Amino acid sequence: MLYGSFGTHNGEPNLDAYLVLPQLGASGQVNFLVDTGAAITCLHPNDLLALGADLEAVRALPTLSVSGVGGSPNVYQTPGYVAFGDGNGVYVYEIQVSVLDPQDAPPLASMLGRDILQHWRMTYDQTNGILEFLVNHSDHTLTL
C-alpha cells in the first residue's frame, strides 16, 4: 500500500516518488500532486532543476502541446522511470515524462497523471486524512 498526504495550505493530495530521467542525467525525489484529471505525468521546471537537469538539454527533446487548467503549454517529452516504495517493495513504471517549458509553465505543481494512477486503486478520504493507493500493476516490481 502506498500512502500519500494532504497539503497544509489547501489540502492538495500529494505523493512522493523517485524519478529517473536517463536522457537528461537527472534523478531524485519529487513530490507530485495527485491529479486524476491529468492524462499524463507532468514535471514542473522547478522540480526538474532540483533534480540537476540542464534546461538546454531539455529544449532538444521532442515537444507536444497539451491542454488543461493551466492553459495550453508546450511540453518536452523524455522517457523516464517513476518509482514508489511501500516498505514491502518498489513499484517502477516506464513512462514518457512531460516537462513543462520554463517559459510557459503555470505556477502549478508537478502532476502525477492517469498514465500511472490507472494502475492503482485509490482511497481518497481527506476528512480522515487517508490517501492510499493499492498497486494493481507495475512495469517492474522489486520485492524487499
Side-chain angles (χ1 to χ4, degrees), residues 23-24 54-63 75-78 101:
Q23 286 186 342
L24 301 176
D54 176 14
L55 288 181
E56 292 308 313
V58 173
R59 290 189 175 100
L61 297 171
T63 61
V75 296
Y76 298 96
Q77 294 213 293
T78 186
D101 187 319

Side-chain angles (χ1 to χ4, degrees), residues 6-63:
F6 293 99
T8 56
H9 177 63
N10 59 7
E12 70 280 359
N14 297 296
L15 184 63
D16 289 330
Y18 193 84
L19 179 64
V20 178
L21 303 173
Q23 286 186 342
L24 301 176
S27 64
Q29 196 80 13
V30 175
N31 182 262
F32 284 100
L33 171 68
V34 176
D35 189 348
T36 60
I40 58 176
T41 294
C42 202
L43 190 64
H44 194 278
N46 292 342
D47 287 329
L48 182 68
L49 289 172
L51 298 177
D54 176 14
L55 288 181
E56 292 308 313
V58 173
R59 290 189 175 100
L61 297 171
T63 61

Side-chain angles (χ1 to χ4, degrees), residues 67-137:
S67 296
V69 171
S72 298
N74 287 325
V75 296
Y76 298 96
Q77 294 213 293
T78 186
Y81 301 93
V82 186
F84 305 87
D86 68 358
N88 296 317
V90 177
Y91 309 97
V92 181
Y93 299 86
E94 296 180 38
I95 63 169
Q96 286 292 316
V97 177
S98 297
V99 180
L100 289 165
D101 187 319
Q103 296 176 341
D104 293 338
L108 300 173
S110 291
M111 296 173 289
L112 189 65
R114 291 190 314 271
D115 52 350
I116 302 265
L117 297 173
Q118 69 183 347
H119 301 292
W120 300 344
R121 182 177 179 193
M122 179 171 70
T123 301
Y124 184 104
D125 182 354
Q126 187 172 358
T127 302
N128 293 304
I130 298 169
L131 183 60
E132 300 174 336
F133 305 90
L134 177 63
V135 177
N136 291 325
H137 172 270

